[in-house]
Structures are given as structure tokens and as C-alpha cells.
Amino acid sequence: MARRSSFTRPALGLLALALLALVTTACLPPAASTTPTTTTTTTTSAPTAGDAKVTIGRCPVEGFTYGQGFGPLPGGGFHYGIDMAAPEGTPVYAVRPGTLWYWSTGDVGGNSVYLKADDGNTYYYTHLLPYASSLENTQHPVAQGDVIENVSHSGNAGTFNHLHFEIRLGGPNGTRIDPRPALDAAGCK
């Protein structure tokens, strides 16, 4: 009969301990993350008339007709801006002074720009005419009333030429609010 090695018993004991440790820790809840998380809040309520943070000094488009407004979409989803129908090529203007950021040629809005304005808010314009690829992800200072782009139907707009316009309080990932009260207050028609 073969003699068992004295090494086998301690090795089996260690293996059993490792297996026990693995099984018991697998049932523990995950450790709390030390990485801070960012939460983006989106609201469906309109700003109040006295909210000075949403004043605009210039209409983003002239000679437009209102299309889809801010709110729930038929069949589900939510429309976070307002559509302003105008002929293709109609100039689009900076509603406030700030920094224009060319971004998002590949998203659902097609050709888009963000205006990081002097009031701390971001104004998002999309469904624009194509711009030079060299402008993608670049920033340029603009004055209120500068022509920043032109209306088109890029992205998911089909053949509907319009500007989709959003107001995001506090920055590009800020709370999206209904732009209609601010547009009305600026006399946009």
C-alpha cells in the first residue's frame, strides 16, 4: 500500500479554506464606491416668468413657424426642446453672447452646436446645415445676434427643415426647460 504524503493534508486544508472564503464573500453586497457620481436632472416644468436665468436677447431664427413643442411625444418619449420650422438655409443666430461649441455631427440631431452663454446656461441648436469637419469639437466666441449656422433637416429630421432649440440651465448637462416662455418674452414669432 502506498504511503500518503504529509503534504496532501495541509494542501487540502488550504484549498477548503480558499473555497470557503470565496463562497462567503460572493454573497456580500458590493463595496460602496469611492467614485463620486453625477446626476443629471431633467424637468418638464416651464420656468417662471420672473426667472432671470432664462432671458434671451435675440430670437434664434426669424420668419419661423412653431412645430413640435416641449413635452411628451405621442407614442412615448419626451421632446426636450421646441421646433422652429423655416426654409433650408435660413440664418440661425446666437441668442446671447458666449462660446459656440461645434459638436454632435453624428447624433440624432445631425449637425449641432452648443452655445455656452454668459448667463451660465447652454443653448442647444440642432438639425443644421453641414459645417466643415475641421470645426467639429472646436470653440469660438460669439456675440449676441451673430449668425452661427443655418436651418436644415440633418439627423432624424427627415425632410422637415427646422431648428430644434433647447435651453439647459447651468450647462450642457443641466436641467432642460421649456424654451417657449423665454422665446415669447424675447418677442420671437
Side-chain angles (χ1 to χ4, degrees), residues 80-102:
Y80 290 105
I82 196 159
D83 292 342
M84 305 167 84
E88 185 171 31
T90 301
V92 174
Y93 302 95
V95 297
R96 295 188 63 93
T99 302
L100 193 65
W101 181 28
Y102 290 85

Side-chain angles (χ1 to χ4, degrees), residues 13 33-34 41-42 49 54-55 58 62-63 70 72 77 80 82 105 109 116 120-123 131 140 145 161:
S33 173
T34 58
T41 304
T42 302
V54 294
T55 58
R58 173 76 164 81
E62 293 178 352
F70 183 89
Y80 290 105
I82 196 159
T105 56
K116 296 187 279 184
N121 298 320
T122 295
Y123 299 86
Y131 47 78
H140 307 278
N161 291 314

Side-chain angles (χ1 to χ4, degrees), residues 113-137:
V113 295
Y114 292 83
L115 174 60
K116 296 187 279 184
D118 65 340
D119 63 354
N121 298 320
T122 295
Y123 299 86
Y124 174 66
Y125 305 74
T126 197
H127 303 309
L128 305 171
L129 278 176
Y131 47 78
S133 61
S134 61
L135 291 174
E136 183 70 11
N137 203 22

